Amino acid sequence: MSAFNPHPLIRNGHVQSILASSGLRRPLLRRRGAGLLANARPLILDAGDGVRLHGLLSRQPGAGHAPRQTVILIHGWEGCAESNYLLSAAGTLYQAGYDVFRLHLRDHGPTHHLNAELFHAARLDEVVNAVRAFEMHYADGPTCLVGFSLGGNFALRVASQAQSAGLRLRHVVAVSPAIKPLTTMAAMEHAPAFYHQYFVRKWQRSLSRKHELFPGLLDYEQVRRLRRLRELTDYLVEHHTDFTSAEAYLNSYEITPQVLADITCPVDIITAEDDPVIPAQDFYTLQLPPQVRLRMLPRGGHCGFVKDLRLQGWIDEELLRLFGPVSPLAG
């Protein structure tokens, strides 16, 4: 178990959170992930009931028909397969010899055209089905799964259904996962204004794209006037879900004791006390079964964990430690 001791100049939780997505890291990550990006090919997965989900698979070159070890990664809300925190981890895993699949949630990245209905976080079945379809057609053996923020929430819920869905997950890691969406919403609304504005701006951009592709799906004149996360959530719930209230919707994807109890593979939850959008107290009351480990670090911000002034990610090294070196799979 390695310690996270960031450089003093970047220890602040807000600095860590900003660096997670900062353009300052972009050139470094693209250079380091050149092999991952050069070998990425798009996949469209059948997620059931006519739903299609998209992702990018980077296989190791020159492996022929040898069995492969694969890591699946899921970005956070309004992130994508190119988000810095995900690209950093994916590039490191690929360099270490893993095949890497970066899965897009509905309406994230370049996928708004694939499905008419809007994304919402209660759409768990399609993510489980997409992981199963990927394993069936593209993975030779057990897979590892990593999720960040809302993607971490999805990863934990996917893990809870792995046994019943026939998934072959051998290890799951959730980084800065949303545990109690109701308190996460409140934290985002009361955090420094730039966090709230950042997510509202990205959500509005996503809804605008959806409106362009599917005219009439949204009352876009109403939507474009909404400037608060709570207002947008209320609109989504009322017009595009079967939930009776925003509270019922947010509670529907809470990580409950039962979700954790149903997990059968090893799971690591890694988060930080200074995360400005995921309240640390949400983790203190978790009832952890033996197969689920929680690491609450003093620093790291939200999906940050940037260790030095070269803007290298500590999480990347920790994933390699948790998953172990690539070794041949049995034929």
Side-chain angles (χ1 to χ4, degrees), residues 20-310:
S21 300
S22 171
L24 293 173
R25 299 183 72 192
R26 201 73 181 162
L28 168 69
L29 296 179
R30 295 196 73 84
R31 286 196 301 272
R32 188 183 302 153
L36 171 93
L37 297 172
N39 290 296
R41 67 179 180 107
L43 300 180
I44 302 294
L45 300 174
D46 179 359
D49 296 326
V51 175
R52 297 176 297 164
L53 294 187
H54 170 276
L56 296 165
L57 173 61
S58 298
R59 286 200 184 281
Q60 294 294 325
H65 297 290
R68 309 165 190 273
Q69 296 192 68
T70 307
V71 181
I72 303 167
L73 299 104
I74 307 177
H75 55 80
W77 181 50
E78 294 302 332
C80 69
E82 303 293 327
S83 293
N84 284 350
Y85 54 83
L86 190 137
L87 195 59
S88 180
T92 299
L93 290 162
Y94 188 77
Q95 281 188 328
Y98 283 94
D99 284 355
V100 174
F101 180 59
R102 293 171 285 155
L103 176 64
H104 276 124
L105 299 173
R106 179 195 293 239
D107 292 349
H108 288 73
T111 74
H112 292 76
H113 65 290
L114 290 178
N115 305 284
E117 297 81 8
L118 290 175
F119 167 81
H120 61 71
R123 296 190 186 276
L124 175 63
D125 288 349
E126 64 190 44
V127 179
V128 172
N129 291 340
V131 171
R132 180 168 54 215
F134 175 80
E135 288 188 339
M136 287 178 59
H137 298 292
Y138 301 100
D140 295 310
T143 59
C144 298
L145 176 63
V146 183
F148 297 84
S149 193
L150 181 60
N153 172 284
F154 268 101
L156 293 173
R157 289 184 291 148
V158 170
S160 76
Q161 295 199 10
Q163 187 172 48
S164 61
L167 304 184
R168 297 173 296 174
L169 300 180
R170 74 172 176 89
H171 203 143
V172 174
V173 178
V175 181
S176 304
I179 297 295
K180 297 183 178 181
L182 201 59
T183 61
T184 297
M185 172 73 76
M188 292 171 70
E189 290 187 312
H190 292 94
F194 62 85
Y195 290 109
H196 186 272
Q197 293 165 1
Y198 172 81
F199 284 109
V200 168
R201 184 170 60 252
K202 297 197 78 171
W203 196 1
Q204 286 279 12
R205 189 180 305 144
S206 176
L207 293 173
S208 174
R209 178 63 178 148
K210 202 72 174 181
H211 172 66
E212 293 172 0
L213 291 165
F214 300 98
L217 175 65
L218 301 164
D219 181 352
Y220 191 63
E221 289 305 311
Q222 178 183 355
V223 167
R224 67 190 301 182
R225 293 193 296 267
L226 303 177
R227 289 291 180 265
R228 304 294 302 174
L229 287 173
R230 176 66 68 173
E231 294 173 343
L232 284 163
T233 302
D234 286 343
Y235 174 87
L236 171 74
V237 169
E238 180 180 355
H239 297 283
H240 296 277
T241 78
D242 294 327
F243 293 100
T244 57
S245 67
E247 182 175 351
Y249 161 65
L250 293 167
N251 287 336
S252 74
Y253 61 99
E254 179 178 337
I255 303 304
T256 65
Q258 190 59 57
V259 168
L260 297 177
D262 288 341
I263 294 173
T264 56
C265 67
V267 168
D268 283 271
I269 300 172
I270 302 174
T271 193
E273 291 180 349
D274 63 357
D275 189 322
V277 296
I278 308 290
Q281 61 263 29
D282 288 355
F283 297 88
Y284 297 148
T285 57
L286 284 178
Q287 300 175 33
L288 299 176
Q291 65 274 21
V292 180
R293 297 177 294 185
L294 169 65
R295 293 181 65 183
M296 175 70 77
L297 304 180
R299 300 183 177 91
H302 185 65
C303 294
F305 305 102
V306 179
K307 67 178 186 176
D308 55 33
L309 296 184
R310 295 175 60 197

